[in-house]
Amino acid sequence: MRIDVVSIFPSYFDGLTLSLLGKARDSGILDLNVHDLRDWTHDRHRTVDDTPYGGGAGMVMKPEPWGEALDALTSPPVVERAQRDETQATPTIIFPSPAGEVFTQATARDLAAREHLIFGCGRYEGIDERVFEYAADRGEVRLISLGDYVLNGGEVAVMAMVEAIGRLIPGVVGNPESLVEESHEDGLLEYPSYTKPALWRDREVPPILLSGNHGAIAAWRRDQQLERTRDRRPDLLGG
Ligand code: JEH
């Protein structure tokens, strides 16, 4: 999979690229590249923002650097490509946005199956709306929100999304042995985990886990999952 991230704060992603690319880097499973939006400006101040038409507080990201970034990372446009070249996958272009659909494990699974993801990180009050229209001619555009709270830009949201997507790709660091056993894959919260010592600061591990009775352990864990889900996330059980 190829992932391109465009941001005015590319160094935000240093930790992510290090942690995610361990064994994936050499094997070519994941080709992750982070780009500085200001590399697609031409003025001496490398300007990426301007005042909003119609008035209002704050600044809006100018369309021109975004247009150049999209040209560089997606070429040629999908309409022309469809006529002559079936080999190049249509990129999925994701703009994190407080006004987008909410990112879930299902979104991560959907995006993990794609060949080329481009993440455009906005800042300030967001990006000139025409950029989304232009991007729609060059890929499948998705506006996605990390959740119902307000961030200062798309970077933190993209880090979370790329980590959630990356761990679903076989061979990427963090990819677990069993993805099906995970929380949210079966719609329930996870059961509690314990390790040695069996007694720690007067607290014991639930004796059932030391019983060797694997049927009873599985039933207990299921019960814990249901109880926790009922207490903490009743919405997952359908209200
Ligand atoms: C934030 C991209 C680019 C902040 C506020 C407003 C909310 C009401 N889950 C997420 N929260 N925020 C972002 C996100 C994701 N993914 C996010 C971004 C950008 C993503 C710039 N910003 C900063 C920003 C406007 N307010 C939105 N409204 C309903 C509380 C009030 C207006 C725009 C941009």
PDB file of all heavy atoms in Angstrom, residues 67-96:
ATOM      1  N   GLY A  67      -3.631  22.294  -4.912  1.00  0.00           N
ATOM      2  CA  GLY A  67      -3.777  21.852  -6.297  1.00  0.00           C
ATOM      3  C   GLY A  67      -2.480  21.245  -6.817  1.00  0.00           C
ATOM      4  O   GLY A  67      -2.477  20.171  -7.441  1.00  0.00           O
ATOM      5  N   GLU A  68      -1.369  21.907  -6.508  1.00  0.00           N
ATOM      6  CA  GLU A  68      -0.060  21.382  -6.949  1.00  0.00           C
ATOM      7  C   GLU A  68       0.279  20.071  -6.253  1.00  0.00           C
ATOM      8  O   GLU A  68       0.843  19.155  -6.864  1.00  0.00           O
ATOM      9  CB  GLU A  68       1.040  22.423  -6.708  1.00  0.00           C
ATOM     10  CG  GLU A  68       0.875  23.643  -7.601  1.00  0.00           C
ATOM     11  CD  GLU A  68       2.192  24.371  -7.845  1.00  0.00           C
ATOM     12  OE1 GLU A  68       3.267  23.727  -7.740  1.00  0.00           O
ATOM     13  OE2 GLU A  68       2.139  25.575  -8.133  1.00  0.00           O
ATOM     14  N   ALA A  69      -0.051  19.982  -4.964  1.00  0.00           N
ATOM     15  CA  ALA A  69       0.210  18.738  -4.216  1.00  0.00           C
ATOM     16  C   ALA A  69      -0.581  17.585  -4.833  1.00  0.00           C
ATOM     17  O   ALA A  69      -0.036  16.496  -5.069  1.00  0.00           O
ATOM     18  CB  ALA A  69      -0.174  18.926  -2.748  1.00  0.00           C
ATOM     19  N   LEU A  70      -1.852  17.823  -5.123  1.00  0.00           N
ATOM     20  CA  LEU A  70      -2.691  16.762  -5.705  1.00  0.00           C
ATOM     21  C   LEU A  70      -2.194  16.378  -7.097  1.00  0.00           C
ATOM     22  O   LEU A  70      -2.205  15.197  -7.461  1.00  0.00           O
ATOM     23  CB  LEU A  70      -4.154  17.211  -5.736  1.00  0.00           C
ATOM     24  CG  LEU A  70      -4.821  17.304  -4.355  1.00  0.00           C
ATOM     25  CD1 LEU A  70      -6.142  18.071  -4.429  1.00  0.00           C
ATOM     26  CD2 LEU A  70      -5.036  15.912  -3.759  1.00  0.00           C
ATOM     27  N   ASP A  71      -1.745  17.381  -7.873  1.00  0.00           N
ATOM     28  CA  ASP A  71      -1.182  17.082  -9.203  1.00  0.00           C
ATOM     29  C   ASP A  71       0.042  16.174  -9.069  1.00  0.00           C
ATOM     30  O   ASP A  71       0.202  15.209  -9.818  1.00  0.00           O
ATOM     31  CB  ASP A  71      -0.759  18.376  -9.915  1.00  0.00           C
ATOM     32  CG  ASP A  71      -1.948  19.206 -10.372  1.00  0.00           C
ATOM     33  OD1 ASP A  71      -3.078  18.675 -10.382  1.00  0.00           O
ATOM     34  OD2 ASP A  71      -1.733  20.392 -10.707  1.00  0.00           O
ATOM     35  N   ALA A  72       0.893  16.485  -8.099  1.00  0.00           N
ATOM     36  CA  ALA A  72       2.143  15.730  -7.942  1.00  0.00           C
ATOM     37  C   ALA A  72       1.890  14.307  -7.454  1.00  0.00           C
ATOM     38  O   ALA A  72       2.620  13.384  -7.820  1.00  0.00           O
ATOM     39  CB  ALA A  72       3.071  16.462  -6.972  1.00  0.00           C
ATOM     40  N   LEU A  73       0.864  14.128  -6.614  1.00  0.00           N
ATOM     41  CA  LEU A  73       0.666  12.822  -5.958  1.00  0.00           C
ATOM     42  C   LEU A  73      -0.329  11.935  -6.683  1.00  0.00           C
ATOM     43  O   LEU A  73      -0.423  10.745  -6.388  1.00  0.00           O
ATOM     44  CB  LEU A  73       0.231  13.037  -4.502  1.00  0.00           C
ATOM     45  CG  LEU A  73       1.240  13.814  -3.640  1.00  0.00           C
ATOM     46  CD1 LEU A  73       0.683  14.067  -2.242  1.00  0.00           C
ATOM     47  CD2 LEU A  73       2.581  13.076  -3.563  1.00  0.00           C
ATOM     48  N   THR A  74      -1.089  12.516  -7.624  1.00  0.00           N
ATOM     49  CA  THR A  74      -2.068  11.741  -8.400  1.00  0.00           C
ATOM     50  C   THR A  74      -1.915  12.151  -9.837  1.00  0.00           C
ATOM     51  O   THR A  74      -2.243  13.266 -10.166  1.00  0.00           O
ATOM     52  CB  THR A  74      -3.519  12.094  -8.024  1.00  0.00           C
ATOM     53  OG1 THR A  74      -3.827  13.393  -8.518  1.00  0.00           O
ATOM     54  CG2 THR A  74      -3.757  12.032  -6.557  1.00  0.00           C
ATOM     55  N   SER A  75      -1.427  11.271 -10.682  1.00  0.00           N
ATOM     56  CA  SER A  75      -1.413  11.723 -12.070  1.00  0.00           C
ATOM     57  C   SER A  75      -1.523  10.526 -12.972  1.00  0.00           C
ATOM     58  O   SER A  75      -0.924   9.508 -12.675  1.00  0.00           O
ATOM     59  CB  SER A  75      -0.147  12.517 -12.386  1.00  0.00           C
ATOM     60  OG  SER A  75       0.985  11.776 -12.019  1.00  0.00           O
ATOM     61  N   PRO A  76      -2.252  10.587 -14.065  1.00  0.00           N
ATOM     62  CA  PRO A  76      -3.095  11.714 -14.464  1.00  0.00           C
ATOM     63  C   PRO A  76      -4.476  11.631 -13.807  1.00  0.00           C
ATOM     64  O   PRO A  76      -4.715  10.692 -13.073  1.00  0.00           O
ATOM     65  CB  PRO A  76      -3.194  11.525 -15.980  1.00  0.00           C
ATOM     66  CG  PRO A  76      -3.102  10.050 -16.168  1.00  0.00           C
ATOM     67  CD  PRO A  76      -2.221   9.528 -15.057  1.00  0.00           C
ATOM     68  N   PRO A  77      -5.379  12.638 -14.044  1.00  0.00           N
ATOM     69  CA  PRO A  77      -6.715  12.616 -13.445  1.00  0.00           C
ATOM     70  C   PRO A  77      -7.487  11.352 -13.809  1.00  0.00           C
ATOM     71  O   PRO A  77      -7.256  10.773 -14.874  1.00  0.00           O
ATOM     72  CB  PRO A  77      -7.413  13.844 -14.024  1.00  0.00           C
ATOM     73  CG  PRO A  77      -6.347  14.688 -14.600  1.00  0.00           C
ATOM     74  CD  PRO A  77      -5.173  13.820 -14.885  1.00  0.00           C
ATOM     75  N   VAL A  78      -8.397  10.933 -12.936  1.00  0.00           N
ATOM     76  CA  VAL A  78      -9.113   9.667 -13.118  1.00  0.00           C
ATOM     77  C   VAL A  78      -9.874   9.578 -14.433  1.00  0.00           C
ATOM     78  O   VAL A  78      -9.933   8.506 -15.037  1.00  0.00           O
ATOM     79  CB  VAL A  78     -10.094   9.362 -11.962  1.00  0.00           C
ATOM     80  CG1 VAL A  78      -9.339   8.907 -10.737  1.00  0.00           C
ATOM     81  CG2 VAL A  78     -10.986  10.533 -11.660  1.00  0.00           C
ATOM     82  N   VAL A  79     -10.456  10.676 -14.887  1.00  0.00           N
ATOM     83  CA  VAL A  79     -11.262  10.626 -16.115  1.00  0.00           C
ATOM     84  C   VAL A  79     -10.413  10.243 -17.322  1.00  0.00           C
ATOM     85  O   VAL A  79     -10.812   9.434 -18.145  1.00  0.00           O
ATOM     86  CB  VAL A  79     -12.000  11.963 -16.386  1.00  0.00           C
ATOM     87  CG1 VAL A  79     -13.297  11.988 -15.602  1.00  0.00           C
ATOM     88  CG2 VAL A  79     -11.136  13.149 -16.099  1.00  0.00           C
ATOM     89  N   GLU A  80      -9.206  10.815 -17.407  1.00  0.00           N
ATOM     90  CA  GLU A  80      -8.309  10.480 -18.512  1.00  0.00           C
ATOM     91  C   GLU A  80      -7.718   9.083 -18.331  1.00  0.00           C
ATOM     92  O   GLU A  80      -7.594   8.330 -19.275  1.00  0.00           O
ATOM     93  CB  GLU A  80      -7.156  11.489 -18.593  1.00  0.00           C
ATOM     94  CG  GLU A  80      -7.625  12.885 -18.976  1.00  0.00           C
ATOM     95  CD  GLU A  80      -6.494  13.901 -18.859  1.00  0.00           C
ATOM     96  OE1 GLU A  80      -5.351  13.537 -19.160  1.00  0.00           O
ATOM     97  OE2 GLU A  80      -6.773  15.040 -18.463  1.00  0.00           O
ATOM     98  N   ARG A  81      -7.395   8.738 -17.109  1.00  0.00           N
ATOM     99  CA  ARG A  81      -6.778   7.448 -16.821  1.00  0.00           C
ATOM    100  C   ARG A  81      -7.707   6.298 -17.191  1.00  0.00           C
ATOM    101  O   ARG A  81      -7.262   5.283 -17.722  1.00  0.00           O
ATOM    102  CB  ARG A  81      -6.377   7.357 -15.348  1.00  0.00           C
ATOM    103  CG  ARG A  81      -5.654   6.079 -15.017  1.00  0.00           C
ATOM    104  CD  ARG A  81      -4.948   6.171 -13.678  1.00  0.00           C
ATOM    105  NE  ARG A  81      -5.845   6.385 -12.574  1.00  0.00           N
ATOM    106  CZ  ARG A  81      -5.844   7.441 -11.780  1.00  0.00           C
ATOM    107  NH1 ARG A  81      -4.984   8.412 -11.996  1.00  0.00           N
ATOM    108  NH2 ARG A  81      -6.679   7.533 -10.790  1.00  0.00           N
ATOM    109  N   ALA A  82      -9.004   6.496 -16.937  1.00  0.00           N
ATOM    110  CA  ALA A  82      -9.978   5.434 -17.203  1.00  0.00           C
ATOM    111  C   ALA A  82      -9.963   5.020 -18.658  1.00  0.00           C
ATOM    112  O   ALA A  82     -10.178   3.851 -18.993  1.00  0.00           O
ATOM    113  CB  ALA A  82     -11.368   5.899 -16.800  1.00  0.00           C
ATOM    114  N   GLN A  83      -9.667   5.972 -19.567  1.00  0.00           N
ATOM    115  CA  GLN A  83      -9.677   5.689 -20.997  1.00  0.00           C
ATOM    116  C   GLN A  83      -8.441   4.930 -21.473  1.00  0.00           C
ATOM    117  O   GLN A  83      -8.491   4.206 -22.435  1.00  0.00           O
ATOM    118  CB  GLN A  83      -9.798   7.007 -21.783  1.00  0.00           C
ATOM    119  CG  GLN A  83     -11.180   7.637 -21.599  1.00  0.00           C
ATOM    120  CD  GLN A  83     -11.196   9.118 -21.969  1.00  0.00           C
ATOM    121  OE1 GLN A  83     -10.159   9.693 -22.298  1.00  0.00           O
ATOM    122  NE2 GLN A  83     -12.359   9.741 -21.910  1.00  0.00           N
ATOM    123  N   ARG A  84      -7.302   5.097 -20.782  1.00  0.00           N
ATOM    124  CA  ARG A  84      -6.077   4.529 -21.319  1.00  0.00           C
ATOM    125  C   ARG A  84      -5.291   3.604 -20.410  1.00  0.00           C
ATOM    126  O   ARG A  84      -4.384   2.937 -20.857  1.00  0.00           O
ATOM    127  CB  ARG A  84      -5.075   5.635 -21.716  1.00  0.00           C
ATOM    128  CG  ARG A  84      -5.559   7.025 -21.880  1.00  0.00           C
ATOM    129  CD  ARG A  84      -4.390   7.890 -22.343  1.00  0.00           C
ATOM    130  NE  ARG A  84      -3.430   8.112 -21.264  1.00  0.00           N
ATOM    131  CZ  ARG A  84      -3.377   9.242 -20.551  1.00  0.00           C
ATOM    132  NH1 ARG A  84      -4.182  10.227 -20.829  1.00  0.00           N
ATOM    133  NH2 ARG A  84      -2.505   9.368 -19.583  1.00  0.00           N
ATOM    134  N   ASP A  85      -5.562   3.576 -19.113  1.00  0.00           N
ATOM    135  CA  ASP A  85      -4.648   2.866 -18.223  1.00  0.00           C
ATOM    136  C   ASP A  85      -5.413   2.236 -17.070  1.00  0.00           C
ATOM    137  O   ASP A  85      -5.884   2.921 -16.191  1.00  0.00           O
ATOM    138  CB  ASP A  85      -3.592   3.858 -17.710  1.00  0.00           C
ATOM    139  CG  ASP A  85      -2.577   3.192 -16.788  1.00  0.00           C
ATOM    140  OD1 ASP A  85      -2.628   1.953 -16.638  1.00  0.00           O
ATOM    141  OD2 ASP A  85      -1.750   3.916 -16.231  1.00  0.00           O
ATOM    142  N   GLU A  86      -5.509   0.901 -17.107  1.00  0.00           N
ATOM    143  CA  GLU A  86      -6.209   0.206 -16.019  1.00  0.00           C
ATOM    144  C   GLU A  86      -5.261  -0.177 -14.886  1.00  0.00           C
ATOM    145  O   GLU A  86      -5.691  -0.629 -13.837  1.00  0.00           O
ATOM    146  CB  GLU A  86      -6.869  -1.084 -16.538  1.00  0.00           C
ATOM    147  CG  GLU A  86      -8.229  -0.863 -17.188  1.00  0.00           C
ATOM    148  CD  GLU A  86      -8.112  -0.539 -18.671  1.00  0.00           C
ATOM    149  OE1 GLU A  86      -7.804  -1.442 -19.452  1.00  0.00           O
ATOM    150  OE2 GLU A  86      -8.296   0.635 -19.047  1.00  0.00           O
ATOM    151  N   THR A  87      -3.954  -0.005 -15.103  1.00  0.00           N
ATOM    152  CA  THR A  87      -2.980  -0.519 -14.136  1.00  0.00           C
ATOM    153  C   THR A  87      -2.875   0.362 -12.892  1.00  0.00           C
ATOM    154  O   THR A  87      -2.661  -0.137 -11.803  1.00  0.00           O
ATOM    155  CB  THR A  87      -1.582  -0.666 -14.760  1.00  0.00           C
ATOM    156  OG1 THR A  87      -1.116   0.626 -15.160  1.00  0.00           O
ATOM    157  CG2 THR A  87      -1.628  -1.587 -15.954  1.00  0.00           C
ATOM    158  N   GLN A  88      -3.050   1.674 -13.044  1.00  0.00           N
ATOM    159  CA  GLN A  88      -2.897   2.580 -11.905  1.00  0.00           C
ATOM    160  C   GLN A  88      -4.197   2.678 -11.122  1.00  0.00           C
ATOM    161  O   GLN A  88      -5.243   3.007 -11.658  1.00  0.00           O
ATOM    162  CB  GLN A  88      -2.482   3.968 -12.397  1.00  0.00           C
ATOM    163  CG  GLN A  88      -2.239   4.925 -11.249  1.00  0.00           C
ATOM    164  CD  GLN A  88      -0.941   5.685 -11.433  1.00  0.00           C
ATOM    165  OE1 GLN A  88      -0.455   5.818 -12.552  1.00  0.00           O
ATOM    166  NE2 GLN A  88      -0.373   6.167 -10.345  1.00  0.00           N
ATOM    167  N   ALA A  89      -4.123   2.353  -9.818  1.00  0.00           N
ATOM    168  CA  ALA A  89      -5.310   2.391  -8.962  1.00  0.00           C
ATOM    169  C   ALA A  89      -5.756   3.837  -8.737  1.00  0.00           C
ATOM    170  O   ALA A  89      -4.932   4.742  -8.657  1.00  0.00           O
ATOM    171  CB  ALA A  89      -5.015   1.730  -7.635  1.00  0.00           C
ATOM    172  N   THR A  90      -7.065   4.029  -8.657  1.00  0.00           N
ATOM    173  CA  THR A  90      -7.616   5.340  -8.300  1.00  0.00           C
ATOM    174  C   THR A  90      -7.299   5.605  -6.827  1.00  0.00           C
ATOM    175  O   THR A  90      -7.668   4.809  -5.962  1.00  0.00           O
ATOM    176  CB  THR A  90      -9.137   5.350  -8.509  1.00  0.00           C
ATOM    177  OG1 THR A  90      -9.404   5.112  -9.878  1.00  0.00           O
ATOM    178  CG2 THR A  90      -9.730   6.683  -8.101  1.00  0.00           C
ATOM    179  N   PRO A  91      -6.624   6.713  -6.523  1.00  0.00           N
ATOM    180  CA  PRO A  91      -6.308   6.964  -5.116  1.00  0.00           C
ATOM    181  C   PRO A  91      -7.550   7.347  -4.307  1.00  0.00           C
ATOM    182  O   PRO A  91      -8.509   7.891  -4.854  1.00  0.00           O
ATOM    183  CB  PRO A  91      -5.316   8.126  -5.162  1.00  0.00           C
ATOM    184  CG  PRO A  91      -5.504   8.769  -6.486  1.00  0.00           C
ATOM    185  CD  PRO A  91      -6.049   7.738  -7.416  1.00  0.00           C
ATOM    186  N   THR A  92      -7.509   7.020  -3.041  1.00  0.00           N
ATOM    187  CA  THR A  92      -8.529   7.495  -2.108  1.00  0.00           C
ATOM    188  C   THR A  92      -7.936   8.696  -1.390  1.00  0.00           C
ATOM    189  O   THR A  92      -6.859   8.595  -0.795  1.00  0.00           O
ATOM    190  CB  THR A  92      -8.898   6.390  -1.106  1.00  0.00           C
ATOM    191  OG1 THR A  92      -9.376   5.261  -1.833  1.00  0.00           O
ATOM    192  CG2 THR A  92      -9.978   6.866  -0.141  1.00  0.00           C
ATOM    193  N   ILE A  93      -8.607   9.845  -1.513  1.00  0.00           N
ATOM    194  CA  ILE A  93      -8.084  11.104  -0.976  1.00  0.00           C
ATOM    195  C   ILE A  93      -8.899  11.481   0.252  1.00  0.00           C
ATOM    196  O   ILE A  93     -10.100  11.738   0.150  1.00  0.00           O
ATOM    197  CB  ILE A  93      -8.122  12.224  -2.045  1.00  0.00           C
ATOM    198  CG1 ILE A  93      -7.438  11.749  -3.337  1.00  0.00           C
ATOM    199  CG2 ILE A  93      -7.483  13.493  -1.498  1.00  0.00           C
ATOM    200  CD1 ILE A  93      -7.585  12.705  -4.519  1.00  0.00           C
ATOM    201  N   ILE A  94      -8.243  11.448   1.413  1.00  0.00           N
ATOM    202  CA  ILE A  94      -8.928  11.644   2.685  1.00  0.00           C
ATOM    203  C   ILE A  94      -8.566  12.995   3.273  1.00  0.00           C
ATOM    204  O   ILE A  94      -7.390  13.324   3.433  1.00  0.00           O
ATOM    205  CB  ILE A  94      -8.543  10.525   3.676  1.00  0.00           C
ATOM    206  CG1 ILE A  94      -8.963   9.154   3.107  1.00  0.00           C
ATOM    207  CG2 ILE A  94      -9.193  10.758   5.038  1.00  0.00           C
ATOM    208  CD1 ILE A  94      -7.982   8.059   3.389  1.00  0.00           C
ATOM    209  N   PHE A  95      -9.605  13.778   3.576  1.00  0.00           N
ATOM    210  CA  PHE A  95      -9.408  15.029   4.293  1.00  0.00           C
ATOM    211  C   PHE A  95     -10.028  14.885   5.677  1.00  0.00           C
ATOM    212  O   PHE A  95     -11.257  14.763   5.789  1.00  0.00           O
ATOM    213  CB  PHE A  95     -10.062  16.195   3.544  1.00  0.00           C
ATOM    214  CG  PHE A  95      -9.417  16.521   2.226  1.00  0.00           C
ATOM    215  CD1 PHE A  95      -9.967  16.074   1.031  1.00  0.00           C
ATOM    216  CD2 PHE A  95      -8.257  17.279   2.174  1.00  0.00           C
ATOM    217  CE1 PHE A  95      -9.381  16.371  -0.191  1.00  0.00           C
ATOM    218  CE2 PHE A  95      -7.654  17.580   0.951  1.00  0.00           C
ATOM    219  CZ  PHE A  95      -8.220  17.126  -0.232  1.00  0.00           C
ATOM    220  N   PRO A  96      -9.199  14.866   6.744  1.00  0.00           N
ATOM    221  CA  PRO A  96      -9.786  14.867   8.081  1.00  0.00           C
ATOM    222  C   PRO A  96     -10.561  16.158   8.273  1.00  0.00           C
ATOM    223  O   PRO A  96     -10.095  17.230   7.865  1.00  0.00           O
ATOM    224  CB  PRO A  96      -8.579  14.791   9.023  1.00  0.00           C
ATOM    225  CG  PRO A  96      -7.398  15.136   8.217  1.00  0.00           C
ATOM    226  CD  PRO A  96      -7.728  14.881   6.775  1.00  0.00           C
TER     227      PRO A  96
END
